[in-house]
Amino acid sequence: MKLRLQPLTLLCQIVMFWLGMHSGIAQAMDTPCPTQQSLSHAFKSGATWTLCADVSETHGLTVSTLRYRAPGDFDRNVLQRMHLGQLLLHYHDQRDALAQISPLSGAAQGISQTRTLPMNTHACDGDIINTVNGGVCSRIKNNRTLAKYAQRPSLHSQSWELTSAFRRGALTWSTTVTLTEDGTVRPSVSLSGRLHRRNDNIAFAAPIPALTNAQPLVRATLLSTWKLVFDLDTDAPDRVEQFDFILDPTRNNRRTMQVSAIETETLKQVERDQFRGWRIIDASGSGYYLDPAKSGFSYISQNMNWAQFDVGFTRFKPCEVYALSNRLLTNNNDCADSLDDFVSGESLQGAQPVMWYNQSRTISPSQEHWPVIADILLTFDLLPFDWTGSSPFEVIE
């Protein structure tokens, strides 16, 4: 699992090692979490994840106190907390987006209130874990090749998935955190349900009238924002670095890797032509790299500056929870209201960094989205970097 950032590696792929075989369902941790469900999962290789899980009626699945142990290694901190920081759904015949994580009543937004969905055997093909506010579905999935050494048979991996869901109006949002055997963290959100807005600007209640050419469904843009509070490995402050690969015509069009420290709160764009990415790194050298390869869309907003950027970095403050309507959602008038206010130029040096990662996608309704939406998924990977001196999987038979 020893990874080195090299230009060609990042331009093509980041090589990871995988192994598979599940040694049991999620188990309670030895030390319970204060208010959440304590969970752990050990793979046959010896790799282990431990965490606290809860379901919020506001934003769905919350994972906190996330720790990873590679085979033969010891438990290391990864994230203090992660959850959805906001969801925007912007119908293209409307000026403003509708915040799906919102304190407004159903009447105020023209949709019903958010409600957590229970987990049952119809919705979950794995193990159902009950929390205070709702159920979590725990699944073990088989993945691709973990490692291949000379003529030895290739090793395969597994991953542990935790999913919860909530409904707002006719739309269902599922949030999933996937934890792979090699230490990758993969947050995702998916949209399903029924699109209901048509070009006559009437929001139909169920049952929805039949689809006709005279009343096509309105296109929309979906934007998801994840909040990730890092707490890597040791107690030393984590650092944020930006990687750019600049094309150099004077060197046979090679791309030179440029690493720059991000030392103050800021909002950043992906810059796809430079293969830009970001790394959070601990003083021990352990870190996680965000490669925004799955970020293929951009969003333009007339009144939310933060939503037009791909990533934001802020200094951790307990009351800064949601990227929009934060005061109302947290019931704290003393705190800033949106991510635009959080990014105030404060220093990140010596502070706990928080990453706010945005992804967007355009929904162009077609026959496949009728009568219900074909699942629309937004996901990204956080890739582990230098957690062990060599691959911890190479000695496994």
Side-chain angles (χ1 to χ4, degrees):
M1 212 179 74
K2 177 78 169 178
L3 299 178
R4 295 291 187 187
L5 283 176
Q6 300 292 340
L8 289 178
T9 303
L10 287 172
L11 294 176
C12 300
Q13 64 179 6
I14 296 182
V15 178
M16 307 295 293
F17 296 108
W18 304 82
L19 176 74
M21 297 306 289
H22 166 42
S23 63
I25 63 173
Q27 302 292 328
M29 293 163 55
D30 293 335
T31 304
C33 304
T35 58
Q36 301 93 10
Q37 182 76 315
S38 305
L39 301 174
S40 69
H41 176 74
F43 299 95
K44 186 177 180 180
S45 65
T48 304
W49 285 100
T50 58
L51 56 90
C52 303
D54 195 9
V55 177
S56 166
E57 295 180 352
T58 306
H59 58 249
L61 179 65
T62 299
V63 169
S64 57
T65 319
L66 184 64
R67 297 169 65 86
Y68 174 70
R69 181 173 72 236
D73 200 18
F74 52 88
D75 283 348
R76 298 171 184 262
N77 296 332
V78 177
L79 288 163
Q80 177 183 306
R81 192 174 182 86
M82 64 184 304
H83 62 78
L84 272 177
Q86 192 49 257
L87 282 171
L88 299 180
L89 184 61
H90 193 168
Y91 289 100
H92 290 187
D93 65 340
Q94 299 291 302
R95 173 184 172 87
D96 298 320
L98 298 175
Q100 303 300 295
I101 298 178
S102 171
L104 299 180
S105 66
Q109 286 208 337
I111 52 180
S112 63
Q113 285 282 58
T114 299
R115 62 185 182 91
T116 301
L117 296 180
M119 282 292 170
N120 53 46
T121 55
H122 297 289
C124 176
D125 57 358
D127 300 303
I128 299 174
I129 300 169
N130 292 316
T131 69
V132 174
N133 294 318
V136 175
C137 181
S138 172
R139 304 181 184 91
I140 303 300
K141 295 291 185 70
N142 292 321
N143 294 333
R144 56 180 181 251
T145 300
L146 166 67
K148 180 71 170 69
Y149 301 102
Q151 302 302 314
R152 295 166 58 185
S154 60
L155 304 176
H156 298 278
S157 70
Q158 290 183 322
S159 59
W160 180 25
E161 292 186 357
L162 298 173
T163 301
S164 73
F166 62 91
R167 179 172 294 159
R168 191 169 181 85
L171 300 176
T172 298
W173 305 89
S174 297
T175 53
T176 299
V177 172
T178 300
L179 306 169
T180 71
E181 199 160 353
D182 68 347
T184 299
V185 180
R186 182 175 302 125
S188 64
V189 57
S190 65
L191 168 64
S192 60
R194 295 175 181 266
L195 290 174
H196 62 283
R197 188 177 295 278
R198 297 172 180 270
N199 277 346
D200 58 1
N201 294 328
I202 297 176
F204 291 97
I208 302 172
L211 183 64
T212 66
N213 291 331
Q215 276 188 322
L217 293 167
V218 174
R219 298 177 73 223
T221 295
L222 165 64
L223 183 139
S224 67
T225 305
W226 280 86
K227 178 189 177 184
L228 303 109
V229 183
F230 283 88
D231 182 22
L232 294 174
D233 202 8
T234 71
D235 293 333
D238 300 331
R239 308 188 312 273
V240 183
E241 297 175 334
Q242 178 172 291
F243 287 74
D244 289 289
F245 298 87
I246 310 299
L247 187 65
D248 187 352
T250 65
R251 300 183 62 189
N252 296 322
N253 288 330
R254 294 183 179 181
R255 289 185 178 270
T256 303
M257 182 174 68
Q258 297 183 2
V259 183
S260 55
I262 296 180
E263 299 179 345
T264 57
E265 295 179 327
T266 187
L267 295 167
K268 293 286 187 177
Q269 298 283 17
V270 165
E271 297 293 346
R272 298 174 181 86
D273 61 335
Q274 297 181 16
F275 298 91
R276 176 174 290 175
W278 297 274
R279 181 175 69 171
I280 313 296
I281 187 171
D282 183 71
S284 66
S286 303
Y288 270 84
Y289 184 81
L290 171 61
D291 182 0
K294 298 176 182 178
S295 178
F297 294 83
S298 298
Y299 179 64
I300 298 176
S301 173
Q302 296 183 2
N303 56 9
M304 291 178 289
N305 179 64
W306 63 269
Q308 303 179 91
F309 290 85
D310 298 293
V311 66
F313 296 99
T314 62
R315 186 184 183 98
F316 175 72
K317 295 180 180 178
C319 69
E320 295 178 350
V321 181
Y322 299 100
L324 184 66
S325 301
N326 184 63
R327 287 175 182 164
L328 291 174
L329 286 164
T330 59
N331 195 28
N332 188 342
N333 290 327
D334 295 328
C335 195
D337 193 51
S338 77
L339 184 53
D340 284 333
D341 304 314
F342 302 166
V343 179
S344 57
E346 289 185 85
S347 174
L348 295 178
Q349 294 186 6
Q352 187 173 18
V354 180
M355 175 188 288
W356 304 80
Y357 185 59
N358 293 334
Q359 282 182 297
S360 63
R361 178 173 174 179
T362 299
I363 306 171
S364 299
S366 61
Q367 199 61 42
E368 68 179 0
H369 294 297
W370 189 262
V372 295
I373 302 171
D375 279 2
I376 297 170
L377 179 69
L378 291 172
T379 183
F380 63 97
D381 289 351
L382 291 169
L383 304 172
F385 178 86
D386 273 2
W387 284 71
T388 57
S390 60
S391 170
F393 301 103
E394 60 186 334
V395 298
I396 296 174
E397 298 293 340

